[in-house]
Structures are given as C-alpha cells and as structure tokens.
Amino acid sequence: MIKRTVLFIFALLFLVNAALAAVNINNADQAALETLPGIGAAKAAAIVEHRTEKGNFKNKEELMQVKGIGPKMFEKMEKDIEI
C-alpha cells in the first residue's frame, strides 16, 4: 500500500512538473509550440520557419517578429516560454 502511494505521488509530481515546464522556443517542435496559448498549427509552423530562416531567438520578445504574433498574444504566452 505504501509503495503504491509513493509511486502515485511521484507520478503526480512528474505530471505537474511537465505541465508547468516552459516551452523553449528555440528548440521546441511544432507540436510543443501548439501547446502555447493562442498558437495553432499555422502560427507554430511560422515560428519554426522564422527560426529556420533567421536563427534562434535571442530573447523572448523577438517572438513578436513572427507574423501573427503581436504584443497582446505575446503577453498571454510570455510566462509559458523560455529561451
């Protein structure tokens, strides 16, 4: 019983940590980018394309250079992204 409880707690902590982890916009694939608020398939593809053509983002704010991502959208996702 104790072993099962410990395993359950470990699994729960792992899932919470994964859910709270920020998405690295320099190496996330399209599917990971689509988990960000307001980012669907088209914008995720645009982020990957921008990154491929111009190189890695130097700071989070450069994400607003991607077509379709403005200050309001950036504000919604800023806490969920990292470099």
Side-chain angles (χ1 to χ4, degrees):
M1 178 72 169
I2 293 175
K3 186 177 181 181
R4 186 183 300 176
T5 303
V6 169
L7 287 173
F8 174 76
I9 291 171
F10 179 74
L12 184 62
L13 289 174
F14 178 78
L15 292 173
V16 167
N17 185 42
L20 297 176
V23 174
N24 185 315
I25 59 174
N26 281 330
N27 59 25
D29 62 8
Q30 183 167 339
L33 292 168
E34 289 178 26
T35 66
L36 295 169
I39 301 295
K43 284 191 182 107
I47 293 169
V48 172
E49 182 178 340
H50 183 276
R51 192 175 63 200
T52 301
E53 292 176 358
K54 301 191 179 191
N56 284 343
F57 296 96
K58 293 176 184 69
N59 57 59
K60 291 179 180 183
E61 290 76 15
E62 285 185 8
L63 192 58
M64 289 186 281
Q65 294 174 1
V66 176
K67 184 177 180 180
I69 301 178
K72 287 183 181 181
M73 182 174 290
F74 176 76
E75 186 178 322
K76 290 178 186 177
M77 72 176 83
E78 183 177 14
K79 68 181 180 353
D80 298 320
I81 62 174
E82 67 182 14
I83 298 294

